[in-house]
Structures are given as C-alpha cells and as structure tokens.
C-alpha cells in the first residue's frame, strides 16, 4: 500500500510537470526566464529609486525566485481539487495526494530553477560560505508554508469559486507588502510594524539573510518562521478535514 | 429454496446494511463569499439531500448484477459508495473483495498528453503499476485497443471520440479485477469493437469476477447479468432476476 501511494505521487508529479511545459517551445527554460524578466523590469524601474541598496539586482532576485515559487504554488494548489474533480469522483485514494503532488511538481521546478539562479547570484555578488546551507531548512519550511496556504485556498475554492479570484487579486498587494522590490528600511518606523504582521515578511527576512547578506539567520527569526509554518499547517489540516467530505457534492 | 441454499454457500463479496447516502445540497444558492454572508451561510450553508435510502443488498462472489433506474435515481452513487468514495451517513458497507477503481469511462485522461503517457498514469492511478509488468501491460492495452504505436504517441486531444473510448476501455478491460464496476460504458467504438468488449466481459465473468453493471440498455443487462435490481427514488424497488428488473425498469417509463 505504501509503495502504491508513492508510485501514485510520483506519477502525479510527473504528470503535472509534463502538463506545465507541454506545448511551450522553451519549456523548462521559462522557469528561468520568467524571474529574469521581472528582474530586468525592477532593475530598470527601481534601481535608481532604491540606490541606497547595495547589489540591488541580488537583493531583488533573492526574494523574487522565492516569491514566484510561493505564488505559483498557491495558484495551482487553489485549483487542484477543481482540476482533479473527475478523479476525486472515481478513485478511492486519499484526496490530499493531489495537492501534495501539485506542490511536489512546483518544488521540482523551483529547485531546478534555483540551481541556475545560484550561478547568477554568484555573479551578482553573492558570497558562498557555510551559512549558505541554511537555505535547505528554509526551503523546507517555505514549502510546507506554501503548501498549507494552498491547501486552505484549494479546499475553500471547491465551495466558493471566488476564493481563487480573490487570491489572484490580493497577490500583487502581498508582493509589495512582503516586500520584494525594496527593503523595509525605507518604510517609516511607525508603519514597519504592519509589514511585520505579514507572515511572508519573516520568510523573506531570513531568505535575504542567507542569500543576500551571507549570514546565518537569527534563531528568533527562524523560530518565528517555524511557528508560522506549524500554525498554518494545523489550520490547513483543520480546514481540509472539515471540508473534504463535501468535495464530491460540490465539484 | 434451492437457489437460496446455493446463495448461502457462496461467499458474500459486498454487503450493504441499511445504507443511506446523501449529498450536500446547496439549496440556498450560495456560490460566492458574498452569498455566504447575505444568504445566511453562516448558519447552515448546505442542506443534505438523501440519494440512497436504507439500501440492503448482498452481492455474492462471481455474481453479475445489473443496476437499472432512471437518471439521477442513485445508480452512480451506489457504485461510489461501494468503491468507498462516498461514505454512508447511516448503515454499513462491507466489501470483502479487491475493487477495480474505475467508475466511469475516461476518468483521468489528460488531453494534452499522449496515449502512452495516459496509459502509464492510468496504471499508476489504479494501483497496477510495477516496473516488471509495465511493458507487458502496455502491449496488452495497445493490442486490445487496436491503436497503432504511431497513434498512441499522439496527444489524445487529436483522437476521435471512438479512439478515445477504445483507449479508455482497453485500459480497464485488460485488468483482471476481483470486482469490476462498469458505469454505462459498453456503447463505445464501432460494431466490431463493441462485440470484442462484450466478449471480453464474458471472459472476465467466466473467470469468477463479480460484476456490477450500470446501464440504460436492457438488452445489455440481460446479456451480461443474471441478477438485476431496479432503483427508484434511492430505494431498491426490485431485486431478483435480470428479466424481472428489466420489466420493472420498463414500467417506469410506461
């Protein structure tokens, strides 16, 4: 039974990856070109405005690749049950395997993109030292966080299709609140607190610690992220368990 | 009496005891967050609509059971309950055999992917994938479907309807399940292929597989099944020979 489940997840990941790049000439290269294009735009628009940020390109790209991973995951997970409606109605397998394999496909394409970007970031001035290894647990936490949020969106989206639309609308706002394109230091002190209410802020803080500053993240920040991840995961499992029996009736 | 004794000797494959199944029914028309607040979704967003009521059914190993009834009377829900996809609100559903997971034809086919890719995904979905047998299984499926290797390498969105059903049907028909559930899928392909499918179903049946067969075509039911049930309003109104069930079914339209 265990091997059956792992085979199933493996094949669903494979299928999701195949579907993602089918019929695009550049295929996988897009996962590299997409952030690169954003980087060029930000460099052009903001590098003068935020000239106090050293190595502005590195600053942007380190946040940007994680942001694209995050928003891509949430986007596809929010649709996962709807897209697999037919399978849900006909196969007696654990429904949570669909979002898991969706997240798996996103993770595979993120990691392969990340390897390429590591070279670009080295060129842009990233320093490699032992603290770089912190990126591994950070990616793990970030993946679980994205998965949890996506699972909540996906479960609710079955019942109210405007959850997906609402998410797409809020997405750009979250991008600027996280903040990806600028540093929180340019925000007046009295408003910084509100930025810190955004869970993503804490993730991008430790990501920048490692990739941009080349230092290990502080334990207190790591603890915040761990706490956020666990709480979101628990909430997601709660929402999923409450709603899963209604999926078939509403798809 | 004799029949009864024979039945007692056979093993029960599936047993449903007072099973009731319901759908969550969105009666208030709540489809958005706005509706949720304006139409009182906070109190109770969904109502239950009972689809199957107090079903009592014993299916024996090796039996082939035809399930008849108008659209929306609960036939597919009955199969879903037996497959474990829907949970009964009340009662018990005991399944003692291994189930083939297929309920309807063409489930899980991805139009963008090729026939071969789809076969592999289907095998993984139905839990039949193993490295040793994959080549043999693909050959068997390709052989049964009579699709050429060139055709199998095309994305299936380029297939005709007939080719699609050939592919879907072949993936199911080449298995040797202990319990086969067929949901209105026989009328596929051209005449030759239909004959082939019927032949294959008889072959599966003779090997001792339990068959649950949902169809709107009485002739097919008579051909495949000895026993039949007829559903109306979520209740079994007839349980007996397939001839009797077909008579009862025809009466629904009289």
């Amino acid at each position: 039974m265990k091997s059956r489940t792992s085979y199933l997840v493996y094949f669903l990941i494979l299928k999701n990856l195949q579907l993602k790049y089918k019929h695009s000439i550049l295929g996988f290269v897009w996962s590299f070109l997409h952030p690169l294009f954003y980087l060029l735009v930000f460099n052009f628009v903001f590098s003068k405005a935020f000239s106090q940020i050293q190595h502005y390109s590195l600053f942007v790209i380190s946040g940007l690749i994680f942001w694209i991973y995050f928003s891509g995951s949430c986007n596809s997970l929010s649709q996962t049950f709807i897209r697999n409606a037919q399978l849900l109605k006909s196969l007696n397998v654990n429904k949570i395997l669909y979002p898991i394999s969706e997240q798996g496909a996103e993770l595979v394409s993120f990691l392969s993109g990340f390897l390429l970007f590591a070279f670009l970031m080295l060129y842009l001035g990233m320093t490699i030292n032992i603290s770089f290894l912190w990126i591994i647990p950070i990616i793990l936490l970030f993946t679980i966080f994205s998965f949890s949020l996506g699972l909540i969106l996906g479960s609710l989206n079955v019942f109210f299709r405007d959850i997906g639309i609402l998410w797409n609308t809020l997405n750009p706002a979250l991008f600027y609140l996280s903040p990806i394109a600028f540093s929180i230091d340019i925000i007046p002190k009295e408003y910084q607190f509100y930025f810190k209410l955004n869970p993503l802020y804490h993730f991008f803080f430790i990501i920048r610690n490692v990739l941009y500053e080349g230092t290990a993240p502080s334990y207190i920040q790591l603890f915040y992220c761990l706490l956020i991840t666990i709480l979101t995961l628990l909430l997601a499992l709660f929402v999923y368990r409450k709603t899963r029996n209604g999926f078939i009736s509403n798809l | 009496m004799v029949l009864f004794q024979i039945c007692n000797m056979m093993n029960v494959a599936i047993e449903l005891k007072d099973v009731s199944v319901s759908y969550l029914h969105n009666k208030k028309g709540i489809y958005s967050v706005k509706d949720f607040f304006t139409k009182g979704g906070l109190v109770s967003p969904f109502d239950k609509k009972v689809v199957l009521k107090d079903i009592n059914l014993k299916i024996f190993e090796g039996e082939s059971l035809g399930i008849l009834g108008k659209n929306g009377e609960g036939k597919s829900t009955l199969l879903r309950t037996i497959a474990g996809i829907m949970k009964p609100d009340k009662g018990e559903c005991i399944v003692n055999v291994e189930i083939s997971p297929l309920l309807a034809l063409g489930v899980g086919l991805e139009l963008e992917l090729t026939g071969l890719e789809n076969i592999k995904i289907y095998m993984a979905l139905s839990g039949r994938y193993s490295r040793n047998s994959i080549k043999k299984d693909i050959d068997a499926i390709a052989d049964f479907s009579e699709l050429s290797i060139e055709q199998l390498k095309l994305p299936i969105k380029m297939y005709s309807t007939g080719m699609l059903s050939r592919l879907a049907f072949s993936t199911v028909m080449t298995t040797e399940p202990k319990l086969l559930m067929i949901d209105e899928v026989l009328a596929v392909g051209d005449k030759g292929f239909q004959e082939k499918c019927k032949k294959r179903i008889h072959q599966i049946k003779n090997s001792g597989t339990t068959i649950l067969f949902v169809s709107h075509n009485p002739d097919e039911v008579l051909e495949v099944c000895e026993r039949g049930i007829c559903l109306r309003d979520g209740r079994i109104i007839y349980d007996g020979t397939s001839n009797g069930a077909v008579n009862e079914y025809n009466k629904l339209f009289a």
Side-chain angles (χ1 to χ4, degrees), chain A residues 199-248:
Chain A
L200 281 170
Y201 165 83
H202 300 280
F203 278 104
F204 285 108
F205 191 86
I206 56 172
I207 288 166
R208 291 238 162 89
N209 275 157
V210 176
L211 294 182
Y212 176 65
E213 288 151 24
T215 57
S218 73
Y219 288 112
I220 184 76
Q221 279 295 340
L222 272 172
F223 175 72
Y224 278 153
C225 291
L226 185 67
L227 194 69
I228 291 166
T229 307
I230 291 172
L231 289 180
T232 323
L233 182 62
L234 288 178
L235 179 67
L237 291 177
F238 174 76
V239 171
Y240 165 72
R241 273 167 191 279
K242 277 279 170 206
T243 52
R244 65 177 167 187
N245 287 332
F247 285 176
I248 291 177

Side-chain angles (χ1 to χ4, degrees), chain A residues 57-77:
Chain A
S57 300
L58 179 63
F59 181 85
V60 169
I61 199 73
S62 58
L64 198 57
I65 47 179
F66 278 84
W67 169 263
I68 288 173
Y69 174 46
F70 168 78
S71 73
S73 306
C74 286
N75 209 355
S76 63
L77 259 74

Side-chain angles (χ1 to χ4, degrees), chain A residues 148-163:
Chain A
S148 309
L149 204 60
L151 184 60
I152 297 175
L153 294 171
S155 304
L156 295 178
N157 209 16
V158 173
F159 300 92
F160 314 112
R161 298 297 151 92
D162 46 3
I163 295 285

Side-chain angles (χ1 to χ4, degrees), chain B residues 80-238:
Chain B
R80 277 183 197 146
T81 309
I82 292 171
I85 295 163
M86 294 189 75
K87 303 271 174 285
D89 306 332
K90 245 181 30 195
E92 236 188 319
C93 175
I94 305 159
V95 178
N96 298 321
V97 287
E98 192 192 332
I99 299 178
S100 77
L102 167 116
L103 281 179
L105 190 64
V107 158
L109 289 181
E110 288 289 349
L111 290 177
E112 296 289 337
L113 301 182
T114 68
L116 282 174
E117 286 166 337
N118 269 299
I119 290 175
K120 284 185 190 169
I121 290 168
Y122 181 84
M123 309 271 267
L125 286 174
S126 58
R128 281 160 54 206
Y129 190 91
S130 72
R131 260 170 229 279
N132 309 323
S133 64
I134 183 78
K135 177 103 184 43
K136 212 180 79 206
D137 282 345
I138 288 179
D139 285 347
I141 291 169
D143 201 42
F144 190 88
S145 65
E146 295 167 12
L147 296 169
S148 67
I149 287 297
E150 287 80 56
Q151 284 171 323
L152 283 174
K153 281 182 180 160
L154 291 176
I156 60 168
K157 64 176 177 186
M158 299 171 83
Y159 283 22
S160 68
T161 320
M163 283 162 74
L164 258 186
S165 26
R166 271 168 182 260
L167 178 73
F169 206 77
S170 308
T171 48
V172 182
M173 282 293 112
T174 45
T175 55
E176 271 151 28
K178 286 270 165 289
L179 175 74
L180 182 65
M181 294 194 273
I182 309 170
D183 196 350
E184 297 176 41
V185 289
L186 265 195
V188 300
D190 48 36
K191 197 157 177 265
F193 192 68
Q194 282 184 26
E195 288 302 318
K196 194 172 170 176
C197 290
K198 277 181 194 161
K199 224 190 222 165
R200 176 69 188 148
I201 286 186
H202 279 287
Q203 215 178 348
I204 291 177
K205 193 179 139 182
N206 291 336
S207 72
T209 299
T210 312
I211 296 179
L212 303 185
F213 185 44
V214 169
S215 175
H216 282 291
N217 185 344
D219 295 336
E220 281 175 7
V221 172
L222 288 176
E223 202 175 323
V224 178
C225 311
E226 301 93 44
R227 186 177 162 195
I229 59 172
C230 190
L231 287 174
R232 182 161 193 197
D233 284 334
R235 290 179 201 279
I236 296 179
I237 54 166
Y238 181 88

Side-chain angles (χ1 to χ4, degrees), chain B residues 4-24:
Chain B
F4 183 71
Q5 277 169 347
I6 294 173
C7 286
N8 261 348
M9 279 159 61
M10 292 201 293
N11 293 326
V12 177
I14 299 158
E15 187 171 7
L16 287 93
K17 289 180 192 161
D18 295 315
V19 168
S20 293
V21 183
S22 59
Y23 262 72
L24 289 174

